[in-house]
């Protein structure tokens, strides 16, 4: 079961915009992410703009910032429900790897995927080490499913936006959670709530299957 981060687990914003508030380029990044959502910029352009603002920041400083990351309710309960019902909860996201790592450790996700910032001597350099767009997100997610001997139609995804569309089209169940019009149209089901547990009735379909 694949879960998006920005706009899904992190409501109303993205983890990158949240962190950019500490780095001093929040407004610029927010405009760039809006341009990505509308199709005016691609993921590579947004990632490079954001990465530049990380130059010189110590790696070990980020975890403390992420303790204040706004999150929807019910993540712990939803991850536990998945595990109790035979679903493997995985983060499939375009959020930077420190975010994926933090959320995986905090809530018990199986693993995560995403772009990576370049580092040297314990500091970020301001460059992207690995780009990761919506198609990489789909491809890595399906590769993770194959590692677990699962076919795509046996998997599901919860997401909210443009970055989720390729994955939505590739799995058996897709849930648009507090989502854009495009994501709603592409999804199997849509739900609006401030608690992630509201997706569980839909995830039950995979369990029954």
């Amino acid at each position: 079961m694949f879960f998006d981060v920005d706009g899904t687990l992190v409501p109303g914003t993205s983890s990158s915009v949240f962190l950019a508030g500490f780095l001093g380029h929040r407004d610029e990044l927010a405009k760039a992410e809006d341009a990505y959502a509308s199709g005016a910029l691609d993921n590579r352009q947004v990632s490079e703009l954001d990465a530049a603002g990380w130059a010189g920041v110590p790696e070990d400083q980020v975890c403390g910032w992420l303790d204040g990351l706004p999150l929807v309710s019910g993540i712990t309960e939803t991850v536990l429900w998945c595990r109790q019902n035979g679903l493997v909860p995985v983060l499939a996201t375009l959020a930077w790897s420190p975010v994926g790592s933090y959320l995986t450790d905090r809530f018990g996700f199986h693993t995560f995927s995403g772009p990576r910032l370049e580092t040297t001597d314990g500091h970020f350099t301001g460059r992207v080490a690995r780009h990761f767009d919506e198609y990489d997100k789909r491809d890595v997610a399906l590769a993770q499913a194959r590692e677990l001997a699962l076919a795509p139609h046996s998997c599901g995804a919860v997401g909210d936006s443009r970055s989720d569309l390729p994955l939505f089209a590739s799995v058996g169940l897709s849930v648009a959670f507090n989502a854009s019009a495009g994501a709603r149209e592409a999804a199997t089901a849509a739900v609006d709530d401030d608690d992630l547990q509201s997706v569980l009735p839909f995830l039950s379909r995979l369990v029954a299957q």
Side-chain angles (χ1 to χ4, degrees), residues 1-3 8-9 72-90 109 156-159 173-178 188-209:
M1 192 67 223
F2 299 106
F3 293 88
T8 303
L9 302 187
V72 295
S73 301
I75 299 175
T76 298
E77 294 82 359
T78 300
V79 170
L80 178 60
W81 184 94
C82 286
R83 292 192 175 278
Q84 290 176 337
N85 287 276
L87 300 180
V88 181
V90 172
F109 287 95
V158 178
L173 174 73
S174 52
V175 182
F177 184 67
N178 298 328
T188 308
V191 60
D192 295 302
D193 206 301
D194 58 3
D195 193 314
L196 189 63
Q197 293 177 87
S198 62
V199 306
L200 296 182
F202 302 103
L203 272 54
S204 294
R205 299 177 188 177
L206 283 182
V207 176
Q209 179 179 312

Side-chain angles (χ1 to χ4, degrees), residues 8-40:
T8 303
L9 302 187
V10 178
T13 185
S14 73
S15 55
S16 293
V17 168
F18 170 79
L19 291 170
F22 296 96
L23 299 169
H25 62 282
R26 177 187 175 92
D27 292 345
E28 184 181 8
L29 181 60
K31 290 177 182 177
E33 289 197 352
D34 288 344
Y36 168 79
S38 69

Side-chain angles (χ1 to χ4, degrees), residues 39-112:
L41 290 179
D42 63 25
N43 178 263
R44 179 177 289 266
Q45 291 170 303
V46 178
S47 294
E48 289 177 350
L49 181 154
D50 188 17
W54 287 74
V57 174
E59 289 184 79
D60 59 11
Q61 191 165 3
V62 181
C63 188
W65 292 343
L66 288 171
D67 286 338
L69 183 67
L71 297 166
V72 295
S73 301
I75 299 175
T76 298
E77 294 82 359
T78 300
V79 170
L80 178 60
W81 184 94
C82 286
R83 292 192 175 278
Q84 290 176 337
N85 287 276
L87 300 180
V88 181
V90 172
L91 290 177
T93 176
L94 301 190
W96 294 117
S97 56
V99 178
S101 177
Y102 173 87
L103 293 175
T104 295
D105 292 343
R106 178 173 171 179
F107 293 106
F109 287 95
H110 178 69
T111 189
F112 69 95

